[in-house]
Coordinates of all heavy atoms in Angstrom, one line a residue:
M1 N -21.4 -19.5 -7.5 CA -20.4 -18.5 -7.8 C -20.2 -17.5 -6.7 O -21.2 -16.9 -6.3 CB -20.8 -17.8 -9.2 CG -19.7 -16.8 -9.6 SD -20.3 -15.9 -11.0 CE -19.8 -16.9 -12.3
L2 N -19.1 -17.3 -6.2 CA -18.8 -16.4 -5.1 C -18.9 -14.9 -5.6 O -18.5 -14.7 -6.8 CB -17.4 -16.6 -4.5 CG -17.3 -17.8 -3.5 CD1 -15.9 -17.9 -3.1 CD2 -18.1 -17.7 -2.5
K3 N -19.3 -14.1 -4.7 CA -19.2 -12.6 -4.9 C -18.1 -12.0 -4.0 O -17.8 -12.6 -3.0 CB -20.6 -12.0 -4.6 CG -21.6 -12.4 -5.6 CD -22.9 -11.8 -5.4 CE -23.5 -12.5 -4.0 NZ -24.8 -12.0 -3.6
T4 N -17.7 -10.9 -4.3 CA -16.7 -10.2 -3.4 C -17.2 -9.9 -2.1 O -16.5 -10.0 -1.1 CB -16.1 -8.8 -4.1 OG1 -17.3 -8.0 -4.3 CG2 -15.4 -9.0 -5.4
S5 N -18.5 -9.8 -1.9 CA -19.2 -9.5 -0.6 C -19.1 -10.7 0.3 O -19.3 -10.7 1.5 CB -20.6 -9.0 -0.8 OG -21.4 -9.9 -1.4
D6 N -18.9 -11.9 -0.2 CA -18.7 -13.2 0.4 C -17.5 -13.4 1.0 O -17.3 -14.2 1.9 CB -19.1 -14.4 -0.5 CG -20.5 -14.3 -1.1 OD1 -21.4 -13.8 -0.4 OD2 -20.6 -14.8 -2.2
L7 N -16.5 -12.6 0.7 CA -15.1 -12.8 1.1 C -14.8 -12.1 2.4 O -15.3 -11.0 2.6 CB -14.2 -12.4 0.0 CG -14.1 -13.0 -1.3 CD1 -13.3 -12.4 -2.2 CD2 -13.7 -14.5 -1.2
K8 N -14.0 -12.6 3.3 CA -13.6 -12.1 4.5 C -12.3 -11.2 4.2 O -11.7 -11.4 3.2 CB -13.1 -13.1 5.4 CG -14.3 -14.1 5.9 CD -13.9 -15.1 6.8 CE -15.2 -15.8 7.3 NZ -14.9 -17.3 7.6
P9 N -12.0 -10.1 5.0 CA -10.9 -9.3 4.8 C -9.6 -9.8 4.4 O -8.9 -9.4 3.5 CB -10.9 -8.4 6.0 CG -12.3 -8.4 6.6 CD -12.8 -9.9 6.3
L10 N -9.2 -10.9 5.1 CA -7.9 -11.6 4.8 C -7.9 -12.3 3.6 O -6.9 -12.3 2.8 CB -7.5 -12.5 5.9 CG -6.9 -11.9 7.2 CD1 -6.7 -12.9 8.3 CD2 -5.6 -11.2 6.9
Q11 N -9.1 -12.9 3.2 CA -9.3 -13.6 1.8 C -9.0 -12.4 0.8 O -8.4 -12.7 -0.3 CB -10.6 -14.1 1.7 CG -10.7 -15.4 2.6 CD -12.1 -16.0 2.6 OE1 -13.1 -15.2 2.7 NE2 -12.2 -17.2 2.5
R12 N -9.7 -11.3 1.0 CA -9.5 -10.2 0.0 C -8.0 -9.8 -0.2 O -7.5 -9.7 -1.3 CB -10.3 -9.1 0.5 CG -11.8 -9.3 0.3 CD -12.5 -8.1 0.9 NE -14.0 -8.4 1.0 CZ -14.9 -7.5 0.8 NH1 -14.6 -6.3 0.6 NH2 -16.2 -7.8 0.9
K13 N -7.3 -9.6 1.0 CA -5.9 -9.3 0.9 C -5.0 -10.3 0.1 O -4.2 -9.9 -0.6 CB -5.4 -9.0 2.3 CG -5.7 -7.8 3.0 CD -5.0 -7.6 4.4 CE -5.2 -6.1 4.9 NZ -4.5 -6.1 6.1
A14 N -5.3 -11.6 0.5 CA -4.6 -12.6 -0.1 C -4.8 -12.7 -1.7 O -3.8 -12.7 -2.4 CB -4.9 -14.0 0.5
L15 N -6.1 -12.5 -2.1 CA -6.3 -12.6 -3.5 C -5.7 -11.3 -4.2 O -5.2 -11.5 -5.2 CB -7.8 -12.4 -3.8 CG -8.5 -13.7 -3.3 CD1 -10.1 -13.6 -3.7 CD2 -8.2 -15.0 -4.3
L16 N -5.7 -10.2 -3.6 CA -5.1 -8.9 -4.2 C -3.6 -9.1 -4.3 O -3.0 -8.7 -5.3 CB -5.5 -7.7 -3.4 CG -7.0 -7.2 -3.6 CD1 -7.3 -6.3 -2.7 CD2 -7.2 -6.8 -5.0
A17 N -3.0 -9.7 -3.2 CA -1.6 -9.9 -3.2 C -1.0 -10.8 -4.3 O -0.2 -10.6 -5.0 CB -1.1 -10.4 -1.8
A18 N -1.9 -11.9 -4.5 CA -1.6 -12.9 -5.6 C -1.7 -12.2 -7.0 O -1.0 -12.4 -7.8 CB -2.5 -14.0 -5.4
L19 N -2.8 -11.4 -7.0 CA -3.1 -10.7 -8.4 C -1.9 -9.8 -8.8 O -1.5 -9.7 -10.0 CB -4.4 -10.0 -8.4 CG -4.9 -9.3 -9.6 CD1 -5.1 -10.4 -10.7 CD2 -6.1 -8.5 -9.4
Q20 N -1.3 -9.1 -7.8 CA -0.2 -8.2 -8.0 C 1.0 -8.9 -8.3 O 1.9 -8.2 -9.0 CB 0.0 -7.3 -6.7 CG -1.2 -6.4 -6.6 CD -1.1 -5.5 -5.4 OE1 -0.2 -5.7 -4.6 NE2 -2.0 -4.6 -5.2
S21 N 1.3 -10.1 -8.0 CA 2.4 -10.9 -8.3 C 2.4 -11.1 -9.8 O 1.4 -11.4 -10.5 CB 2.4 -12.2 -7.5 OG 3.3 -13.1 -8.0
P22 N 3.7 -11.1 -10.4 CA 3.7 -11.4 -11.8 C 3.2 -12.7 -12.3 O 2.9 -13.0 -13.4 CB 5.3 -11.3 -12.2 CG 5.9 -10.6 -10.9 CD 4.9 -10.8 -9.8
T23 N 3.3 -13.7 -11.4 CA 2.9 -15.1 -11.6 C 1.6 -15.4 -11.1 O 1.1 -16.5 -11.2 CB 4.0 -16.1 -11.1 OG1 4.0 -15.9 -9.6 CG2 5.3 -15.9 -11.7
R24 N 0.9 -14.4 -10.5 CA -0.4 -14.5 -10.0 C -0.4 -15.7 -8.9 O -1.2 -16.6 -9.0 CB -1.5 -14.7 -11.0 CG -1.6 -13.5 -11.8 CD -2.9 -13.5 -12.6 NE -3.1 -12.1 -13.1 CZ -3.9 -11.9 -14.1 NH1 -4.6 -12.8 -14.6 NH2 -4.0 -10.7 -14.6
A25 N 0.6 -15.8 -8.1 CA 0.8 -16.8 -7.1 C 1.4 -16.2 -5.9 O 2.0 -15.2 -5.8 CB 1.7 -17.9 -7.7
L26 N 1.3 -17.0 -4.8 CA 1.9 -16.7 -3.5 C 2.9 -17.9 -3.3 O 2.5 -19.1 -3.4 CB 0.9 -16.7 -2.4 CG -0.2 -15.5 -2.5 CD1 -1.2 -15.7 -1.3 CD2 0.5 -14.2 -2.5
Q27 N 4.2 -17.6 -2.9 CA 5.1 -18.7 -2.6 C 5.2 -19.0 -1.1 O 5.0 -18.2 -0.3 CB 6.5 -18.0 -3.0 CG 7.7 -18.8 -2.8 CD 7.7 -19.9 -4.0 OE1 7.3 -19.6 -5.2 NE2 8.1 -21.0 -3.6
R28 N 5.4 -20.3 -1.0 CA 5.5 -20.8 0.3 C 6.9 -20.4 1.0 O 7.8 -20.5 0.4 CB 5.5 -22.4 0.3 CG 5.6 -23.1 1.6 CD 4.4 -23.2 2.4 NE 4.6 -23.7 3.8 CZ 3.7 -24.3 4.4 NH1 2.5 -24.4 3.9 NH2 4.1 -24.8 5.6
S29 N 6.8 -19.9 2.2 CA 8.0 -19.4 2.9 C 7.9 -19.7 4.5 O 7.1 -19.2 5.1 CB 8.2 -18.0 2.8 OG 9.2 -17.5 3.5
R30 N 8.6 -20.8 4.8 CA 8.5 -21.4 6.1 C 7.1 -21.8 6.4 O 6.6 -22.6 5.8 CB 9.1 -20.5 7.2 CG 10.5 -20.2 7.0 CD 11.1 -19.5 8.2 NE 12.5 -19.7 8.1 CZ 13.3 -20.0 9.2 NH1 12.7 -20.4 10.3 NH2 14.5 -20.1 9.0
K31 N 6.5 -21.1 7.3 CA 5.0 -21.5 7.6 C 4.0 -20.5 7.1 O 2.9 -20.6 7.5 CB 5.0 -21.5 9.3 CG 5.9 -22.5 9.9 CD 5.7 -22.5 11.4 CE 6.6 -23.4 12.0 NZ 6.5 -23.5 13.4
T32 N 4.3 -19.8 6.1 CA 3.4 -18.9 5.5 C 3.5 -18.8 4.0 O 4.4 -19.5 3.5 CB 3.6 -17.5 6.0 OG1 4.9 -16.9 5.7 CG2 3.4 -17.4 7.5
Y33 N 2.5 -18.2 3.4 CA 2.6 -17.9 2.0 C 2.8 -16.4 1.8 O 2.1 -15.6 2.4 CB 1.4 -18.3 1.2 CG 1.3 -19.9 1.1 CD1 0.7 -20.6 2.2 CD2 1.7 -20.5 0.1 CE1 0.6 -22.1 2.1 CE2 1.7 -21.9 0.0 CZ 1.1 -22.6 1.0 OH 1.0 -24.0 1.0
I34 N 3.8 -15.9 0.9 CA 4.0 -14.6 0.6 C 4.0 -14.2 -0.8 O 4.0 -15.1 -1.7 CB 5.4 -14.2 1.3 CG1 6.6 -14.8 0.6 CG2 5.4 -14.3 2.7 CD1 7.9 -14.4 0.9
S35 N 3.8 -12.9 -1.1 CA 3.7 -12.6 -2.6 C 5.1 -12.6 -3.0 O 6.1 -12.5 -2.5 CB 3.3 -11.1 -2.5 OG 3.5 -10.6 -3.9
L36 N 5.0 -12.9 -4.5 CA 6.3 -13.1 -5.1 C 7.0 -12.0 -5.6 O 7.9 -11.9 -6.4 CB 6.1 -14.1 -6.3 CG 5.7 -15.4 -6.0 CD1 5.4 -16.3 -7.2 CD2 6.8 -16.2 -5.2
G37 N 6.3 -10.8 -5.2 CA 6.8 -9.5 -5.7 C 6.0 -8.9 -6.9 O 5.4 -9.7 -7.6
G38 N 6.0 -7.7 -6.9 CA 5.2 -7.0 -7.9 C 6.0 -5.8 -8.5 O 7.1 -5.5 -8.1
S39 N 5.4 -5.0 -9.4 CA 6.1 -4.0 -9.9 C 6.0 -2.8 -8.9 O 4.9 -2.4 -8.5 CB 5.5 -3.6 -11.3 OG 4.3 -3.3 -11.3
S40 N 7.1 -2.1 -8.6 CA 7.1 -1.0 -7.8 C 8.0 0.0 -8.3 O 9.1 -0.3 -8.6 CB 7.4 -1.5 -6.3 OG 7.6 -0.3 -5.5
T41 N 7.7 1.3 -8.2 CA 8.6 2.3 -8.7 C 9.4 2.9 -7.6 O 10.4 3.6 -7.8 CB 7.9 3.5 -9.4 OG1 6.9 4.0 -8.6 CG2 7.2 3.0 -10.8
S42 N 8.9 2.6 -6.4 CA 9.6 3.2 -5.2 C 10.7 2.2 -4.6 O 11.3 2.6 -3.6 CB 8.5 3.4 -4.1 OG 7.9 2.2 -3.7
G43 N 10.9 1.1 -5.1 CA 12.1 0.4 -4.6 C 11.6 -0.9 -4.0 O 11.3 -1.9 -4.5
T44 N 11.2 -0.7 -2.7 CA 10.9 -1.8 -1.8 C 9.3 -1.8 -1.6 O 8.7 -0.8 -1.7 CB 11.6 -1.8 -0.4 OG1 11.1 -0.7 0.2 CG2 13.0 -1.9 -0.6
Q45 N 8.9 -3.0 -1.4 CA 7.4 -3.1 -1.2 C 7.2 -3.9 0.2 O 7.9 -4.8 0.5 CB 6.6 -4.0 -2.2 CG 6.5 -3.2 -3.4 CD 5.6 -4.2 -4.4 OE1 6.1 -5.3 -4.8 NE2 4.5 -3.7 -4.8
P46 N 6.2 -3.7 1.0 CA 5.9 -4.5 2.1 C 5.4 -5.8 1.7 O 4.7 -5.9 0.7 CB 4.8 -3.6 2.9 CG 4.3 -2.8 1.9 CD 5.3 -2.5 0.7
V47 N 5.8 -6.8 2.5 CA 5.5 -8.2 2.1 C 4.5 -8.6 3.3 O 4.6 -8.5 4.4 CB 6.7 -9.1 2.1 CG1 6.3 -10.6 2.0 CG2 7.6 -8.8 1.1
E48 N 3.3 -9.1 2.7 CA 2.3 -9.6 3.7 C 2.4 -11.3 3.7 O 2.7 -11.8 2.6 CB 0.9 -9.2 3.2 CG 0.6 -7.8 3.6 CD -0.9 -7.5 3.4 OE1 -1.6 -7.6 4.4 OE2 -1.2 -7.1 2.3
A49 N 2.2 -11.7 4.9 CA 2.3 -13.2 4.9 C 0.9 -13.7 5.2 O 0.2 -13.1 6.1 CB 3.3 -13.7 6.1
F50 N 0.6 -14.8 4.7 CA -0.8 -15.5 4.8 C -0.6 -16.9 5.2 O 0.2 -17.7 4.8 CB -1.5 -15.4 3.5 CG -1.7 -14.0 2.9 CD1 -0.9 -13.6 1.9 CD2 -2.6 -13.3 3.4 CE1 -1.0 -12.2 1.4 CE2 -2.8 -11.9 2.9 CZ -2.0 -11.4 2.0
T51 N -1.5 -17.4 6.1 CA -1.4 -18.7 6.7 C -1.8 -19.9 5.8 O -2.6 -19.5 5.0 CB -2.2 -18.7 8.0 OG1 -3.6 -18.6 7.7 CG2 -1.7 -17.8 9.0
P52 N -1.3 -21.1 6.0 CA -1.8 -22.2 5.3 C -3.2 -22.4 5.4 O -4.0 -22.8 4.5 CB -1.0 -23.3 5.8 CG 0.3 -22.7 6.3 CD -0.1 -21.3 6.8
R53 N -3.8 -22.0 6.7 CA -5.3 -22.2 6.9 C -6.1 -21.3 6.0 O -7.0 -21.8 5.5 CB -5.6 -21.8 8.4 CG -7.0 -22.1 8.7 CD -7.2 -21.7 10.1 NE -8.7 -21.9 10.4 CZ -9.2 -21.4 11.4 NH1 -8.5 -20.6 12.4 NH2 -10.5 -21.5 11.7
L54 N -5.6 -20.1 5.8 CA -6.3 -19.2 4.8 C -6.2 -19.7 3.4 O -7.2 -19.7 2.7 CB -5.6 -17.7 4.9 CG -6.2 -16.8 4.0 CD1 -7.8 -16.5 4.2 CD2 -5.4 -15.5 4.1
M55 N -5.0 -20.3 3.0 CA -4.9 -20.9 1.6 C -5.8 -22.1 1.5 O -6.3 -22.3 0.4 CB -3.5 -21.3 1.4 CG -2.4 -20.1 1.4 SD -2.8 -18.8 0.2 CE -3.3 -17.5 1.2
N56 N -6.0 -22.9 2.5 CA -7.0 -24.0 2.5 C -8.4 -23.5 2.3 O -9.2 -24.1 1.5 CB -6.9 -24.8 3.7 CG -5.7 -25.7 3.8 OD1 -5.1 -26.0 2.8 ND2 -5.1 -26.0 5.0
M57 N -8.8 -22.4 2.9 CA -10.1 -21.7 2.7 C -10.3 -21.3 1.3 O -11.3 -21.6 0.6 CB -10.3 -20.6 3.8 CG -10.4 -21.0 5.2 SD -10.3 -19.6 6.2 CE -11.7 -18.6 5.8
L58 N -9.3 -20.6 0.7 CA -9.2 -20.3 -0.7 C -9.4 -21.4 -1.6 O -10.1 -21.4 -2.6 CB -8.2 -19.4 -1.0 CG -8.1 -18.0 -0.3 CD1 -6.8 -17.3 -0.6 CD2 -9.4 -17.1 -0.6
E59 N -8.6 -22.3 -1.3 CA -8.6 -23.6 -2.2 C -10.0 -24.3 -2.2 O -10.4 -24.8 -3.1 CB -7.5 -24.6 -1.8 CG -7.1 -25.7 -2.8 CD -7.9 -27.0 -2.5 OE1 -8.4 -27.2 -1.4 OE2 -8.0 -27.7 -3.6
R60 N -10.5 -24.4 -1.0 CA -11.9 -24.9 -0.9 C -12.8 -24.3 -1.6 O -13.7 -24.9 -2.3 CB -12.3 -25.0 0.7 CG -13.6 -25.6 1.0 CD -14.3 -25.2 2.3 NE -14.4 -23.9 2.2 CZ -14.3 -23.0 3.3 NH1 -13.9 -23.5 4.5 NH2 -14.5 -21.8 3.3
D61 N -12.8 -23.0 -1.8 CA -13.7 -22.2 -2.4 C -13.3 -22.2 -4.0 O -14.1 -21.5 -4.8 CB -13.8 -20.7 -1.9 CG -14.4 -20.7 -0.6 OD1 -15.3 -21.7 -0.2 OD2 -14.1 -19.7 0.2
G62 N -12.3 -22.7 -4.4 CA -11.9 -22.9 -5.7 C -11.2 -21.5 -6.3 O -11.2 -21.4 -7.5
L63 N -10.7 -20.8 -5.5 CA -10.0 -19.5 -5.7 C -8.4 -19.7 -6.0 O -8.0 -18.9 -6.8 CB -10.3 -18.4 -4.7 CG -11.8 -18.2 -4.4 CD1 -11.9 -17.2 -3.4 CD2 -12.5 -17.8 -5.8
V64 N -7.9 -20.7 -5.5 CA -6.4 -21.0 -5.6 C -6.2 -22.5 -5.9 O -7.0 -23.3 -5.5 CB -5.6 -20.5 -4.5 CG1 -5.6 -19.0 -4.4 CG2 -5.9 -21.2 -3.3
E65 N -5.1 -22.8 -6.5 CA -4.7 -24.3 -6.6 C -3.3 -24.3 -6.0 O -2.4 -23.4 -6.1 CB -4.6 -24.6 -8.1 CG -5.9 -24.7 -8.9 CD -5.7 -24.9 -10.4 OE1 -4.6 -24.7 -10.8 OE2 -6.8 -25.3 -11.0
F66 N -3.1 -25.5 -5.4 CA -1.8 -25.7 -4.8 C -0.9 -26.4 -5.9 O -1.3 -27.2 -6.6 CB -1.9 -26.7 -3.6 CG -2.6 -26.3 -2.4 CD1 -3.8 -26.6 -2.0 CD2 -1.9 -25.3 -1.6 CE1 -4.4 -26.1 -0.9 CE2 -2.5 -24.7 -0.5 CZ -3.7 -25.1 -0.1
D67 N 0.4 -25.9 -5.9 CA 1.3 -26.3 -6.8 C 2.6 -26.9 -6.1 O 3.3 -26.0 -5.6 CB 1.9 -25.3 -7.7 CG 0.7 -24.7 -8.6 OD1 -0.3 -25.4 -9.1 OD2 0.7 -23.5 -8.9
P68 N 2.9 -28.1 -6.1 CA 2.2 -29.3 -6.6 C 1.2 -29.5 -5.5 O 1.3 -29.1 -4.4 CB 3.2 -30.4 -6.6 CG 4.3 -30.0 -5.7 CD 4.3 -28.4 -5.8
P69 N 0.1 -30.4 -5.8 CA -0.9 -30.5 -4.8 C -0.7 -31.2 -3.5 O -1.1 -30.8 -2.6 CB -1.9 -31.4 -5.8 CG -1.6 -31.2 -7.1 CD -0.1 -30.9 -7.1
M70 N 0.3 -32.2 -3.5 CA 0.4 -32.9 -2.3 C 1.4 -32.1 -1.4 O 1.2 -32.1 -0.2 CB 1.2 -34.2 -2.6 CG 0.3 -35.2 -3.2 SD -1.2 -35.6 -2.2 CE -0.6 -36.4 -0.8
W71 N 2.5 -31.4 -1.8 CA 3.5 -30.7 -1.0 C 3.6 -29.4 -1.6 O 4.6 -29.1 -2.3 CB 4.7 -31.5 -0.8 CG 4.5 -32.8 -0.2 CD1 4.6 -34.0 -0.8 CD2 4.2 -33.1 1.1 NE1 4.3 -35.1 0.0 CE2 4.1 -34.6 1.3 CE3 4.0 -32.3 2.4 CZ2 3.8 -35.2 2.5 CZ3 3.7 -33.0 3.4 CH2 3.5 -34.3 3.6
P72 N 2.7 -28.5 -1.6 CA 2.7 -27.3 -2.4 C 3.9 -26.3 -1.8 O 4.2 -26.1 -0.7 CB 1.3 -26.6 -2.0 CG 1.0 -27.2 -0.7 CD 1.5 -28.5 -0.6
S73 N 4.5 -25.8 -2.9 CA 5.5 -24.8 -2.6 C 4.9 -23.3 -3.0 O 5.6 -22.3 -2.7 CB 6.8 -25.1 -3.5 OG 6.4 -25.0 -4.9
R74 N 3.7 -23.4 -3.7 CA 3.1 -22.1 -3.9 C 1.6 -22.4 -4.2 O 1.2 -23.5 -4.5 CB 3.7 -21.3 -5.0 CG 3.7 -22.0 -6.3 CD 4.4 -21.0 -7.4 NE 4.2 -21.6 -8.7 CZ 4.5 -20.8 -9.8 NH1 5.0 -19.6 -9.5 NH2 4.4 -21.3 -11.0
V75 N 0.8 -21.3 -4.1 CA -0.7 -21.4 -4.6 C -0.8 -20.4 -5.8 O -0.2 -19.3 -5.7 CB -1.6 -21.2 -3.5 CG1 -1.4 -22.2 -2.4 CG2 -1.4 -19.7 -2.9
T76 N -1.6 -20.8 -6.7 CA -1.8 -20.0 -7.9 C -3.3 -19.7 -8.0 O -4.1 -20.5 -7.8 CB -1.3 -20.7 -9.2 OG1 0.0 -21.1 -9.0 CG2 -1.4 -19.8 -10.4
L77 N -3.6 -18.5 -8.5 CA -5.1 -18.1 -8.6 C -5.6 -19.0 -9.7 O -4.9 -19.1 -10.8 CB -5.1 -16.6 -8.9 CG -4.8 -15.6 -7.9 CD1 -4.9 -14.3 -8.4 CD2 -5.8 -15.8 -6.8
T78 N -6.8 -19.5 -9.6 CA -7.6 -20.0 -10.6 C -8.3 -18.9 -11.4 O -8.3 -17.8 -11.0 CB -8.7 -20.9 -9.9 OG1 -9.5 -20.1 -9.2 CG2 -8.1 -22.0 -9.0
P79 N -9.0 -19.3 -12.5 CA -9.7 -18.3 -13.2 C -10.7 -17.6 -12.4 O -11.0 -16.4 -12.5 CB -10.3 -18.9 -14.4 CG -9.3 -20.1 -14.7 CD -8.9 -20.6 -13.2
E80 N -11.4 -18.3 -11.5 CA -12.4 -17.6 -10.7 C -11.8 -16.8 -9.7 O -12.2 -15.7 -9.3 CB -13.2 -18.9 -9.9 CG -14.1 -18.3 -9.0 CD -15.4 -17.7 -9.5 OE1 -15.6 -17.7 -10.7 OE2 -16.2 -17.0 -8.7
G81 N -10.5 -17.2 -9.1 CA -9.8 -16.2 -8.2 C -9.3 -15.0 -8.8 O -9.4 -14.0 -8.3
V82 N -8.9 -15.1 -10.1 CA -8.6 -14.0 -10.9 C -9.6 -13.0 -11.1 O -9.6 -11.8 -10.9 CB -7.9 -14.3 -12.3 CG1 -7.6 -13.1 -13.1 CG2 -6.6 -15.1 -12.0
R83 N -10.8 -13.5 -11.3 CA -12.1 -12.7 -11.6 C -12.4 -12.0 -10.3 O -12.7 -10.8 -10.4 CB -13.2 -13.6 -12.0 CG -14.5 -12.8 -12.3 CD -15.7 -13.8 -12.5 NE -16.1 -14.5 -11.2 CZ -16.7 -14.0 -10.3 NH1 -17.1 -12.8 -10.2 NH2 -17.1 -14.8 -9.2
L84 N -12.4 -12.7 -9.1 CA -12.8 -11.9 -8.0 C -11.7 -11.0 -7.6 O -12.1 -9.8 -7.1 CB -13.0 -13.0 -6.8 CG -14.3 -13.7 -6.7 CD1 -14.4 -14.8 -5.6 CD2 -15.4 -12.6 -6.4
A85 N -10.5 -11.3 -7.7 CA -9.4 -10.4 -7.4 C -9.5 -9.1 -8.3 O -9.3 -8.0 -7.7 CB -7.9 -11.0 -7.6
E86 N -9.8 -9.3 -9.6 CA -9.9 -8.0 -10.4 C -11.1 -7.2 -10.0 O -11.0 -6.0 -10.1 CB -10.0 -8.4 -11.9 CG -8.7 -9.0 -12.4 CD -8.7 -9.5 -13.8 OE1 -9.8 -9.9 -14.3 OE2 -7.6 -9.7 -14.4
E87 N -12.2 -7.9 -9.5 CA -13.3 -7.1 -9.1 C -13.0 -6.3 -7.9 O -13.4 -5.1 -7.6 CB -14.5 -8.1 -8.9 CG -15.2 -8.5 -10.0 CD -16.4 -9.5 -9.7 OE1 -16.9 -9.5 -8.5 OE2 -16.8 -10.2 -10.6
L88 N -12.2 -7.0 -7.0 CA -11.7 -6.3 -5.8 C -10.8 -5.1 -6.0 O -11.0 -4.0 -5.5 CB -11.0 -7.3 -4.8 CG -11.8 -8.2 -4.1 CD1 -10.9 -9.4 -3.5 CD2 -12.7 -7.7 -3.1
R89 N -10.0 -5.3 -7.0 CA -9.1 -4.2 -7.4 C -9.9 -3.1 -8.0 O -9.6 -1.9 -7.7 CB -8.1 -4.7 -8.3 CG -7.0 -3.6 -8.8 CD -5.9 -4.2 -9.6 NE -6.3 -4.9 -10.8 CZ -5.4 -5.5 -11.6 NH1 -4.3 -5.6 -11.3 NH2 -5.9 -6.2 -12.6
A90 N -10.8 -3.3 -8.9 CA -11.7 -2.2 -9.5 C -12.5 -1.6 -8.4 O -12.6 -0.4 -8.5 CB -12.6 -2.9 -10.6
A91 N -13.0 -2.3 -7.5 CA -13.8 -1.6 -6.4 C -12.8 -0.8 -5.5 O -13.3 0.4 -5.1 CB -14.4 -2.7 -5.5
N92 N -11.6 -1.3 -5.3 CA -10.7 -0.4 -4.5 C -10.4 0.9 -5.2 O -10.2 2.0 -4.6 CB -9.5 -1.3 -4.1 CG -9.7 -2.2 -3.1 OD1 -10.7 -2.2 -2.3 ND2 -8.8 -3.1 -2.8
G93 N -10.1 0.9 -6.6 CA -9.9 1.8 -7.4 C -11.0 2.9 -7.5 O -10.7 4.1 -7.4
A94 N -12.2 2.4 -7.5 CA -13.3 3.3 -7.4 C -13.5 4.0 -6.1 O -13.8 5.1 -6.0 CB -14.6 2.5 -7.7
K95 N -13.2 3.3 -5.1 CA -13.2 4.0 -3.8 C -12.2 5.0 -3.6 O -12.4 6.2 -3.1 CB -13.1 3.0 -2.6 CG -14.2 2.0 -2.4 CD -13.8 1.2 -1.3 CE -15.0 0.1 -1.0 NZ -14.6 -1.0 0.0
A96 N -10.9 4.7 -4.1 CA -9.9 5.7 -4.2 C -10.3 7.0 -5.0 O -9.9 8.2 -4.6 CB -8.5 5.1 -4.6
G97 N -10.9 6.7 -6.1 CA -11.2 7.8 -7.0 C -12.3 8.7 -6.4 O -12.3 9.9 -6.7
A98 N -13.2 8.1 -5.6 CA -14.2 8.8 -4.9 C -13.9 9.7 -3.8 O -14.5 10.7 -3.4 CB -15.4 7.9 -4.6
A99 N -12.7 9.3 -3.2 CA -12.2 10.0 -1.9 C -11.6 11.3 -2.2 O -11.3 11.9 -3.2 CB -11.2 9.2 -1.2

């Protein structure tokens, strides 16, 4: 079982981006995966792009699944990925509250 301390910074960003998406997924867009959008009161949100190599790392660790598996158009968080992403979000919230 992975812990949040086992994750690299880009893996953390990708998990948090997928968690903020309404579908808990990242959409394939040309040569990258991007967030499908989240709730924002300010109108626009910055979009971060993540490489297929990073998605392969997350898939290897069992944190995301490719949809469909052979020619994925998106990656979706697994229950383990959701658990880690929620832990990351809680840790970030605790850091923000302490500052």
Side-chain angles (χ1 to χ4, degrees):
M1 182 187 272
L2 284 175
K3 298 180 283 186
T4 56
S5 60
D6 297 331
L7 299 173
K8 296 177 180 158
L10 279 177
Q11 290 173 314
R12 293 173 185 214
K13 280 185 173 185
L15 288 175
L16 287 171
L19 184 66
Q20 292 174 356
S21 170
T23 58
R24 294 198 169 163
L26 299 173
Q27 183 71 38
R28 177 78 186 209
S29 174
R30 291 192 170 233
K31 295 181 181 181
T32 62
Y33 288 87
I34 60 171
S35 173
L36 296 173
S39 58
S40 174
T41 57
S42 64
T44 61
Q45 283 185 298
V47 174
E48 287 191 87
F50 303 100
T51 65
R53 181 178 180 200
L54 178 61
M55 295 303 112
N56 286 334
M57 290 170 60
L58 293 173
E59 195 268 338
R60 179 197 65 214
D61 292 336
L63 303 177
V64 298
E65 293 177 337
F66 290 109
D67 297 328
M70 289 303 291
W71 302 103
S73 58
R74 67 182 184 165
V75 294
T76 305
L77 289 176
T78 63
E80 178 70 9
V82 171
R83 181 190 66 79
L84 276 176
E86 287 175 345
E87 286 180 18
L88 288 168
R89 182 172 57 186
N92 287 346
K95 286 180 187 176

